[in-house]
Amino acid sequence: MKLRFLAIATFTFLTMGTVLAGPFEDGVAADNRGDYAIALSIFRRLAAGGDANAQLRLSMMYDRGRGVSRNSTEELKWLRAAARKGNAQAQSNLGVAYTKGQGVVQDDVRAYAWFSISAQAGNEAAMTNRNVVEKRMTPKQIADAQQLTLVCLQRLWKCD
């Protein structure tokens, strides 16, 4: 009886990592080990199903050219999808895109709004970035950005 219990306990312990890992974690592991084809396949499937974390990871793959050609249109498509689902990192990354004019027209008002939304979700880096952007904005731009932030929040981040 003890031997059977020990065998079951050992099997359970050895397979626990597999049982606890899901498709997203499998995609992250594949991406981290450089197996971009597998990561891309997993993230595409999950992103198409609405997984905001997978949408963010897919946008990062298009940004960095990991397993795909760099493509700012696809990057922004998935980044916006994740941001609109409430992913704070995607919201902050969208703020960076507007700050730098990466794939979009440079727009400090929109950058400020996306940083503010991300900061409200607890992203401290977004708060820092918003404060940096704010220093180069006029009082009118700041007021416009604050108004846009409210509109975005009321529409559940659908402000782009």
Side-chain angles (χ1 to χ4, degrees):
M1 185 67 148
K2 285 184 179 182
L3 187 58
R4 182 174 178 204
F5 174 76
L6 183 60
I8 291 171
T10 302
F11 176 78
T12 301
F13 177 75
L14 291 175
T15 60
M16 192 178 306
T18 304
V19 172
L20 295 178
F24 178 77
E25 291 80 8
D26 292 342
V28 171
D31 191 19
N32 289 342
R33 71 176 175 264
D35 197 343
Y36 302 131
I38 290 175
L40 185 65
S41 174
I42 291 170
F43 292 146
R44 276 186 175 151
R45 181 174 41 84
L46 293 173
D51 184 308
N53 291 323
Q55 291 168 339
L56 173 62
R57 293 297 292 235
L58 190 55
S59 77
M60 293 165 60
M61 292 186 80
Y62 279 107
D63 175 51
R64 297 174 182 155
R66 291 176 135 175
V68 293
S69 297
R70 291 186 71 179
N71 184 325
S72 63
T73 301
E74 282 296 306
E75 172 198 356
L76 286 167
K77 169 187 162 183
W78 293 111
L79 187 59
R80 282 188 174 109
R84 289 175 179 154
K85 289 224 180 250
N87 184 294
Q89 185 59 54
Q91 292 164 342
S92 184
N93 288 4
L94 199 49
V96 170
Y98 278 110
T99 299
K100 296 181 176 181
Q102 293 177 323
V104 294
V105 174
Q106 194 280 332
D107 186 338
D108 286 340
V109 170
R110 290 197 183 280
Y112 181 104
W114 281 111
F115 286 140
S116 293
I117 292 166
S118 180
Q120 285 188 12
N123 187 326
E124 291 182 24
M127 185 177 292
T128 300
N129 287 336
R130 183 195 64 199
N131 294 340
V132 169
V133 169
E134 183 177 31
K135 288 179 183 176
R136 65 180 186 224
M137 295 171 71
T138 66
K140 167 94 168 76
Q141 287 175 313
I142 294 169
D144 290 347
Q146 291 169 341
Q147 181 61 37
L148 180 60
T149 301
L150 291 175
V151 169
C152 292
L153 290 170
Q154 290 169 349
R155 295 181 183 170
L156 299 175
W157 311 294
K158 293 180 182 170
C159 58
D160 233 11

